[in-house]
């Protein structure tokens, strides 16, 4: 029960942080993360790389063909609105 309370308190803190995070801030962070990932920054932790990828990748489909594996990546629709 104590662990559940701590987990819920952590979720509340994260939600409060998200409220203060505007859509433009989010977009800036997404673009920055993608640039960092594509540049292949060595210091990036595996978890951080996975978090960045989950922002863009919806599904990865693996198909074994003989001794090879074919991978199809389905990207998410980011619904970026152009206000210009």
């Amino acid at each position: 029960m104590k662990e559940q309370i701590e987990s819920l308190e952590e979720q509340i803190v994260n939600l409060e942080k998200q409220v203060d995070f505007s859509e433009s801030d989010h977009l800036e962070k997404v673009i920055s993360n993608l640039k960092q990932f594509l540049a292949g920054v060595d210091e990036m932790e595996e978890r951080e790389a996975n978090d960045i990828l989950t922002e863009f990748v919806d599904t990865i489909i693996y198909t074994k063909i003989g001794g090879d594996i074919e991978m199809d990546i389905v990207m998410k629709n980011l619904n970026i609105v152009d206000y210009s």
Side-chain angles (χ1 to χ4, degrees):
M1 186 69 137
K2 184 178 178 180
E3 290 176 9
Q4 288 178 326
I5 292 171
E6 289 173 358
S7 174
L8 291 172
E9 288 174 341
E10 184 177 327
Q11 289 177 19
I12 290 170
V13 169
N14 288 335
L15 288 173
E16 288 172 346
K17 288 178 184 176
Q18 288 178 0
V19 169
D20 293 334
F21 204 62
S22 73
E23 187 173 335
S24 63
D25 292 336
H26 175 72
L27 186 55
E28 275 184 41
K29 182 176 185 269
V30 168
I31 291 170
S32 174
N33 286 343
L34 184 57
K35 284 180 181 178
Q36 184 180 6
F37 181 80
L38 294 175
V41 177
D42 293 336
E43 301 87 41
M44 185 180 296
E45 295 180 19
E46 183 177 332
R47 181 180 176 156
E48 186 178 359
N50 287 337
D51 288 346
I52 292 170
L53 287 175
T54 58
E55 186 86 31
F56 300 100
V57 176
D58 184 42
T59 307
I60 300 175
I61 303 166
Y62 298 94
T63 307
K64 187 171 182 179
I65 302 173
D68 296 327
I69 295 177
E70 182 179 297
M71 184 170 49
D72 293 314
I73 300 173
V74 179
M75 303 300 285
K76 289 182 180 179
N77 182 358
L78 296 179
N79 294 323
I80 297 174
V81 179
D82 182 8
Y83 292 105
S84 57

